[in-house]
Amino acid sequence: MTQPASPPRPATSKSGPADGASPLRTLSARADLRTLSLLGVLAVLVLIGGITQPDSFLDTDNVQLILTQASVIGVVTVGMTFVIISGGIDLSVGAIVALASVWATTVATQEYGVAGILFTAVIVGMACGLVNGMLIAYGGMVPFIATLAMLASGRGLALEITDGKTQMVTVDGVLKLGERDSYILGIPPLVLVFAAVTVVGWLLLNRTTFGRRSVAVGGNAEAARLAGIDVRRQRLYLYLLSGLCCGIAAFMLIVLSGSGQNTNGNLYELDAIAAAIIGGTLLSGGRGTITGSVLGVLIFITIQNIFALNNLETAVQQIAKGAIIVAAVLVQRRTSSHT
């Protein structure tokens, strides 16, 4: 007499939810490892700066200078990080900063004081971001081409407005923001603005549906569409966000320099993209962190500062930038091949 077949054994917890959670834990661990690695690189740079220029590098004025310089490009990088995470690119950020800065420093705009300058800079930045977003999301243009066109147009319009001349700011409220008397507990106001933008960006990416949708669109746009995400509208919002960050950065640059110039924001697109890549943001989209991008900015600015203090030529700095970008991309490819 044959024995009845034993019922199938229930699945154990080892093959259940734990398997679904382990990839998330792995990604989190890798993100933590990247952050620790970036902090280690920054610590090494600080050590090198302290050894090569012990009297000037660790001086309070120089530290404030590094943080202030990092603040302007850092705000742009926050917006760029969102765009790259979504699978896009924005080559026009430097031109948008230039256009916003010169438009906000015209004589007519300065008559409205600090509020008028800030409002104009932000509106011009968002308007440019809107054009980029419409061309890419609804016009079907490749981000590289659309933002390249904006780069050329923005630079040309900025040159037309200024006629190649520097527009000096005469509004006392703006000029005072760049003075040492406006520092709060020894911290320049621009650094506080950068910190605020960073916190808002981190919360937006990690604690809202907007951030999750951005990552989903960058990871697989078609799957995101099938999941109910309006991919075109999301991309439009992302380029609007990038334009907003450029407008804020333009106002910060006006405060820092006390003027508006058509050459403002030169190569900001290179610096922002490089900082995001160094921070672990994938150029193909779907992965990135605000914390990593901010650390990438600090690493870049610290390197530039060390080179400047040691009287190294600008050409050497540009070569070093290129080498760092190549190294970061190679590390990313190696990391991605093991995921």
Side-chain angles (χ1 to χ4, degrees):
M1 183 176 178
T2 60
Q3 296 182 348
S6 59
R9 299 176 62 185
T12 62
S13 60
K14 184 175 291 188
S15 60
D19 286 344
S22 58
L24 295 177
R25 286 198 297 267
T26 302
L27 288 175
S28 177
R30 284 175 178 164
D32 292 340
L33 181 60
R34 282 194 300 270
T35 301
L36 290 175
S37 300
L38 291 171
L39 287 172
V41 171
L42 188 59
V44 170
L45 290 174
V46 171
L47 182 62
I48 292 173
I51 293 175
T52 57
Q53 295 291 332
D55 295 329
S56 54
F57 180 77
L58 296 178
D59 184 72
T60 301
D61 291 341
N62 189 60
V63 174
Q64 290 174 339
L65 175 63
I66 291 174
L67 293 177
T68 302
Q69 290 178 337
S71 297
V72 180
I73 186 61
V75 170
V76 175
T77 302
V78 170
M80 180 70 79
T81 301
F82 276 92
V83 170
I84 298 178
I85 285 175
S86 71
I89 199 74
D90 192 347
L91 301 179
S92 64
V93 291
I96 294 175
V97 169
L99 179 58
S101 70
V102 300
W103 207 320
T105 53
T106 58
V107 175
T109 304
Q110 292 193 49
E111 291 179 356
Y112 294 95
V114 178
I117 294 175
L118 174 60
F119 178 78
T120 302
V122 170
I123 289 298
V124 171
M126 293 186 69
C128 292
L130 177 63
V131 173
N132 280 338
M134 291 295 292
L135 291 175
I136 295 167
Y138 295 96
M141 291 186 67
V142 177
F144 181 90
I145 300 300
T147 57
L148 185 62
M150 178 59 73
L151 183 156
S153 301
R155 287 290 179 192
L157 186 54
L159 181 60
E160 179 68 21
I161 292 174
T162 61
D163 194 25
K165 300 175 182 178
T166 299
Q167 298 179 164
M168 302 305 297
V169 176
T170 58
V171 179
D172 290 337
V174 174
L175 297 175
K176 287 180 179 178
L177 288 174
E179 296 177 355
R180 186 171 296 276
D181 292 340
S182 65
Y183 288 13
I184 301 174
L185 299 177
I187 303 175
L190 298 188
V191 177
L192 296 176
V193 173
F194 176 37
V197 171
T198 299
V199 171
V200 172
W202 187 90
L203 292 173
L204 198 60
L205 181 61
N206 297 282
R207 294 292 184 267
T208 67
T209 55
F210 180 87
R212 289 190 288 272
R213 288 172 181 169
S214 301
V215 174
V217 169
N220 190 323
E222 181 60 20
R225 186 187 67 82
L226 294 175
I229 297 175
D230 190 331
V231 175
R232 293 190 298 179
R233 185 172 62 186
Q234 185 69 18
R235 284 176 174 158
L236 174 62
Y237 289 163
L238 286 162
Y239 282 95
L240 267 174
L241 176 61
S242 179
L244 171 62
C245 289
C246 289
I248 295 172
F251 179 77
M252 296 169 69
L253 198 56
I254 292 170
V255 172
L256 190 61
S257 63
S259 64
Q261 304 176 51
N262 65 287
T263 55
N264 281 344
N266 187 35
L267 294 181
Y268 272 21
E269 54 277 356
L270 170 64
D271 291 343
I273 293 171
I277 294 173
I278 290 174
T281 303
L282 286 181
L283 272 175
S284 56
R287 191 184 76 191
T289 66
I290 298 298
T291 303
S293 295
V294 169
L295 289 174
V297 170
L298 291 174
I299 287 172
F300 251 143
I301 298 300
T302 302
I303 290 174
Q304 291 178 6
N305 185 264
I306 292 173
F307 284 174
L309 290 177
N310 286 279
N311 297 318
L312 295 178
E313 298 179 357
T314 303
V316 177
Q317 298 182 31
Q318 298 300 332
I319 293 172
K321 277 187 180 181
I324 292 170
I325 294 170
V326 171
V329 172
L330 290 176
V331 170
Q332 276 195 5
R333 291 186 62 182
R334 183 177 180 83
T335 303
S336 300
S337 66
H338 293 289
T339 54

